[in-house]
Amino acid sequence: MHALIALTLKDLRLFLGDRRALLLTLLAPILIAAFFGSLFGGSGGAKKAGVGLAITDLDRSPVSQALVAALRADPNLKLQELDAEPAQALVRAGKLDAAVQLPAGFGQQAGRALFGAGPRPLIQLHHDPSKAMGLALVEGLLAQHAMRNLSQAAFQADSALMADLRAQVQRGQGLAAAEQHELLALFDQVARVQRVSSPAPAASNRAGALTGMRQPFDTQRVAAQAPQQAGYNAYAHSFAGMGVQFILMLGVDMGVALLLLRQQDLWKRLRAAPVSRAVLLGSRLLSCALIAFGVFVVLLTVAIALFGVRVQGSWLGLTLVLLGFALFTAAFGLLVAALGRTPEAARGLAIVATLMLVMLGGAWVPAFLFPDWLQQLTLLVPTRWAVDGLDAMTWRGLGLAEAATHAGLLGATALLLGGLAWWRFDWAEPA
Amino acid sequence: MQDALLQATGLRKNFGERPAVAEVSLTVRPGELLGLLGPNGAGKSTTVAMLCGLLPPDGGQVRLGGLDMQANLGAAKRRIGLVPQELALFEALSARRNVELFGALYGLNRTQQRTRAAAVLAQVGLLERADEAAHAFSGGMKRRLHIACALVHDPELIVLDEPTAGVDPHSRNAIFEQLEALKRAGKALLYTSHYMEEVERLADRILILDHGRVVAEGRLAELLQRLEGGQGLDIELAQAEADIPPLQALPGVLGLHRDGPRLRLRLADWQAGIAVLQALAAQGLRPARWASSRATLEDLFLALTGRQLRD
């Protein structure tokens, strides 16, 4: 027991004694987690940038101008009115997400097309292929505002568009007599309603006024998270992910350090003492796990103190997940040392293994962005259990039972990897 | 004469098909220093590894204090203090922490660690700097700390593998004095070295290994008596690259080793020496200096193996 404690304390003293390395060990994950956290939404209070959109109005009709005004007023867009060529150039340069071109005759053609009385005008939408999410938003907002403005133009009193439509229907081109009759009756009915309500322009938005077709429902966004506390904080995920990544690298470093030690007479000297393999490898496992746990605690303390991360789940659960991951890290480091045989080989093996574990564990980007099949597959990856477990205890606000599952899986995997490392580790120093 | 503390009999070790150690037997008694000599690859390190319980022998047996080492490995290791060739220190830790750590590895409790650390640090002259990190020490001080780490658990057998490598003369003398004090205290010491003069000074008995086999063993005086001739002649030629006549063929010349302009000859008598100088003069070679010498371990090693120890 004296030997185990002495060897473990020795590793802790060596780790804490190297101030420069310690600072870098803590600073690097904090900086990168802060960067990723701000990228994915920060602590929720920051204003969103909006999608950059250019519009070229070749129609200049009241309908197209009303559409441009509506898009300009939309808080989800940053709209610029530009000629077609410079607009497209800015999209190609990646400075705008998309450029919309409203063709000449857009207002008239779209009005007719609304009632199936003519071809639909073609709106050109140039987009940056690297910004697919922005494109979907632009298409949705364009449809919403166009429908509203067109229907408003169609149904307002003394509408020129309605007069044009009535004239077309009266000509009866391509319409059955019954269909022609019913459409004209509809127009008459609309005209009567318009005359009765004849809303003042300022009141056009009041309930009941004929303001054109609107989305027939509203949505209320409610974040699915702990109901009683702070909102989602992207830093919670980024600190979990970067913590997992850098601590895993710390484990690898310790495994490689063990191999370097084995090449020195210091290893021979340790083996000459009456200490078992269990004590020599166990002390390394223990010190690595303690260091990993301590570093993660510091990282989360910084996340809580400076980045508004909150533990909305169980503190005990959080501790269990951290302990499970610390043990996994230590066992992973030992296994790398056992399989790599030499420091050079171990380092190469470790880089590949760590990158795979980190990527598939959702440490860089949340796992929900993965394709379905990959999301299912990565349920088998230990780093995913760690990241999900930490998410569960921070912003998701889940309970101890959820943490126990993640921590248990991590602990069991640590046991398995540790056993493998024990079995495969080349005990003697190289000849 | 006391019973041997360490007794190795017929030790064998192969690495693949290559025999590294073949039928090596040796003993070390309390209060005795056995010098283990041999060039690189002679099997010294493998022998030391087997004697310290780091490597199981393929054949033969090691007994320590009468007990079979392989059957009582933990207990045997507690009685041995190993000083490996390379420094085995945690340089970021203080001298005291290094010594205490090794004390803990040998089962000393916290109080014993403190007491013994202070005692051995005083013994090697480092107590005043006990709380400084080892990396701040000179090469000689590190070597002394290295030895202190091997002494902390008060072992009966101390195995030193080239303990003075890279050490300045002052620290080397300090180490020699410590080893002599350990001998006087009744410790058994096994000392491997390339340096003949160290072994000549310190060793009570000498064992010479070559190609994994014992080629000679005994006290220095006994070993030197094995040489046919007791006279040595060292010559330094003025011409470094000159071809020399076949001096070995001269009557009374028993051995010759050349290292550039320096010739080392072993002679049956002084008549042979005169013949050598005449032969060189006949070829126009002039000694810049020459001196007679007594036979040394180097001569013995040369006679036994046909090569120099540091080849």
Side-chain angles (χ1 to χ4, degrees):
Chain A
M1 201 60 178
H2 286 304
L4 181 73
I5 294 170
L7 285 168
T8 305
L9 283 177
K10 177 263 297 175
D11 285 341
L12 295 180
R13 284 191 180 108
L14 290 175
F15 178 76
L16 295 173
D18 191 345
R19 299 289 159 84
R20 191 174 297 175
L22 180 62
L23 191 68
L24 284 174
T25 300
L26 295 173
L27 212 54
I30 290 171
L31 289 176
I32 298 178
F35 172 72
F36 273 107
S38 65
L39 213 62
F40 286 108
S43 54
K47 191 176 181 295
K48 288 190 174 66
V51 174
L53 178 69
I55 194 157
T56 308
D57 183 3
L58 300 177
D59 186 30
R60 293 285 167 190
S61 66
V63 169
S64 68
Q65 286 176 359
L67 176 58
V68 170
L71 291 172
R72 189 188 302 284
D74 195 302
N76 294 303
L77 299 173
K78 281 195 303 184
L79 192 76
Q80 300 179 48
E81 215 172 333
L82 296 170
D83 287 341
E85 201 168 311
Q88 288 164 24
L90 285 173
V91 174
R92 277 196 299 276
K95 292 179 179 168
L96 286 175
D97 294 61
V100 171
Q101 186 174 307
L102 302 176
F106 165 76
Q108 194 177 38
Q109 288 173 17
R112 289 174 184 166
L114 188 65
F115 294 94
R120 289 182 296 180
L122 188 67
I123 296 177
Q124 282 194 341
L125 180 55
H126 296 264
H127 67 95
D128 184 337
S130 68
K131 296 173 181 172
M133 286 171 77
L135 177 67
L137 182 69
V138 168
E139 284 180 324
L141 290 173
L142 194 59
Q144 177 190 327
H145 291 298
M147 283 299 290
R148 182 173 178 172
N149 282 284
L150 274 168
S151 59
Q152 190 175 13
F155 292 116
Q156 69 185 192
D158 305 323
S159 159
L161 178 60
M162 192 59 84
D164 178 51
L165 278 169
R166 176 181 286 276
Q168 275 206 23
V169 171
Q170 279 172 337
R171 283 198 292 275
Q173 290 169 338
L175 291 173
E179 195 178 358
Q180 185 184 25
H181 176 76
E182 290 301 327
L183 274 173
L184 288 171
L186 172 66
F187 295 158
D188 289 342
Q189 188 65 36
V190 169
R192 275 198 294 278
V193 172
Q194 290 286 10
R195 275 194 294 277
V196 170
S197 61
S198 48
S204 63
N205 282 329
R206 73 182 157 84
L210 284 174
T211 56
M213 288 185 188
R214 292 192 301 171
Q215 183 173 287
F217 57 85
D218 283 328
T219 52
Q220 181 186 9
R221 291 184 179 184
V222 181
Q225 61 189 31
Q228 73 281 20
Q229 297 184 36
Y232 170 68
N233 185 327
Y235 292 115
H237 179 83
S238 66
F239 268 84
M242 287 304 110
V244 162
Q245 172 175 316
F246 279 88
I247 287 168
L248 211 52
M249 288 177 175
L250 200 70
V252 169
D253 277 350
M254 292 206 168
V256 171
L258 185 60
L259 288 176
L260 288 169
L261 179 69
R262 213 185 57 184
Q263 291 183 337
Q264 301 167 8
D265 272 3
L266 196 45
W267 180 250
K268 189 188 287 181
R269 183 67 190 84
L270 293 175
R271 283 185 56 228
V275 289
S276 63
R277 178 191 287 230
V279 168
L280 271 186
L281 290 188
S283 66
R284 185 54 67 139
L285 189 93
L286 187 59
S287 59
C288 181
L290 285 173
I291 288 169
F293 181 77
V295 169
F296 223 143
V297 167
V298 172
L299 293 183
L300 287 180
T301 304
V302 171
I304 288 167
L306 301 182
F307 295 91
V309 173
R310 294 289 173 265
V311 179
Q312 298 180 45
S314 158
W315 279 95
L316 178 60
L318 179 71
T319 308
L320 286 178
V321 173
L322 291 180
L323 281 174
F325 180 66
L327 282 172
F328 170 77
T329 297
F332 176 69
L334 273 189
L335 186 65
V336 165
L339 298 182
R341 300 295 177 93
T342 66
E344 296 75 19
R347 207 169 270 125
L349 176 77
I351 287 170
V352 174
T354 307
L355 287 179
M356 292 302 290
L357 280 172
V358 166
M359 279 192 297
L360 297 178
W364 289 350
V365 291
F368 62 75
L369 292 177
F370 296 168
D372 276 348
W373 66 270
L374 192 57
Q375 287 192 38
Q376 295 302 314
L377 190 70
T378 54
L379 287 174
L380 299 171
V381 177
T383 40
R384 170 103 191 257
W385 306 332
V387 174
D388 286 358
L390 292 169
D391 279 353
M393 294 304 104
T394 52
W395 67 271
R396 286 191 190 280
L398 301 180
L400 182 60
E402 183 75 13
T405 308
H406 291 89
L409 285 168
L410 286 165
T413 312
L415 210 62
L416 182 70
L417 299 191
L420 266 175
W422 171 279
W423 175 48
R424 298 294 300 166
F425 189 76
D426 194 356
W427 185 239
E429 56 273 8
Chain B
M1 184 176 284
Q2 280 191 277
D3 289 340
L5 175 70
L6 175 72
Q7 185 164 30
T9 316
L11 287 183
R12 281 190 292 109
K13 188 72 191 175
N14 290 352
F15 293 121
E17 294 296 306
R18 183 177 64 85
V21 171
E23 300 299 330
V24 168
S25 298
L26 58 85
T27 57
V28 190
R29 294 181 181 82
E32 179 186 50
L33 190 149
L34 175 70
L36 190 58
L37 278 175
N40 287 333
K44 294 196 303 290
S45 295
T46 305
T47 303
V48 164
M50 289 190 284
L51 296 177
C52 293
L54 294 172
L55 200 60
D58 292 338
Q61 191 184 42
V62 180
R63 297 183 78 82
L64 189 72
L67 295 173
D68 176 44
M69 176 173 275
Q70 287 305 311
N72 303 276
L73 199 54
K77 283 180 172 180
R78 277 194 178 80
R79 302 171 74 172
I80 301 172
L82 171 65
V83 182
Q85 186 173 351
E86 287 173 26
L87 287 171
L89 299 170
F90 294 99
E91 300 223 354
L93 298 183
S94 70
R96 191 189 304 279
R97 288 229 190 272
N98 267 288
V99 179
E100 287 177 356
L101 169 64
F102 283 104
L105 297 186
Y106 285 85
L108 303 189
N109 64 31
R110 195 72 195 96
T111 311
Q112 290 168 327
Q113 288 167 34
R114 288 197 188 110
T115 314
R116 284 296 300 160
V120 293
L121 285 168
Q123 198 176 337
V124 299
L126 290 174
L127 187 57
E128 285 183 3
R129 302 187 64 176
D131 295 313
E132 290 180 33
H135 63 66
F137 287 2
S138 69
M141 289 165 71
K142 284 180 186 172
R143 281 279 162 195
R144 279 143 64 196
L145 175 58
H146 192 42
I147 292 172
C149 291
L151 300 179
V152 64
H153 59 292
D154 196 21
E156 295 165 71
L157 171 68
I158 301 152
V159 178
L160 303 109
D161 193 1
E162 308 266 358
T164 58
V167 172
D168 61 89
H170 174 73
S171 288
R172 180 174 295 152
N173 277 332
I175 289 170
F176 290 166
E177 284 165 17
Q178 285 152 20
L179 297 182
E180 281 161 351
L182 288 168
K183 255 199 325 184
R184 285 195 297 277
K187 305 293 182 191
L189 294 101
L190 179 69
Y191 188 103
T192 78
S193 182
H194 278 133
Y195 298 108
M196 301 286 186
E197 57 276 23
E198 288 184 2
V199 176
E200 283 180 353
R201 171 177 166 175
L202 293 169
D204 299 292
R205 286 185 304 117
I206 295 164
L207 186 142
I208 299 176
L209 278 182
D210 192 34
H211 297 301
R213 292 182 179 278
V214 178
V215 292
E217 186 193 359
R219 293 182 178 280
L220 178 63
E222 294 166 4
L223 292 173
L224 292 179
Q225 278 174 6
R226 294 191 192 180
L227 290 171
E228 289 178 25
Q231 302 297 329
L233 178 62
D234 294 331
I235 297 173
E236 187 171 338
L237 297 172
Q239 303 92 335
E241 304 297 329
D243 290 331
I244 57 172
L247 301 176
Q248 305 95 305
L250 295 174
V253 176
L254 303 173
L256 166 68
H257 178 77
R258 181 175 184 182
D259 182 9
R262 284 181 288 278
L263 307 178
R264 185 170 180 80
L265 296 115
R266 198 159 48 77
L267 308 170
D269 52 43
W270 278 112
Q271 291 301 319
I274 292 166
V276 165
L277 292 170
Q278 286 173 341
L280 291 172
Q283 198 145 321
L285 298 172
R286 185 172 52 81
R289 62 178 68 88
W290 59 273
S292 66
S293 63
R294 65 180 180 82
T296 64
L297 265 179
E298 190 81 48
D299 298 318
L300 175 67
F301 194 82
L302 193 62
L304 290 170
T305 67
R307 56 193 173 128
Q308 278 204 308
L309 188 60
R310 284 169 231 180
D311 280 351

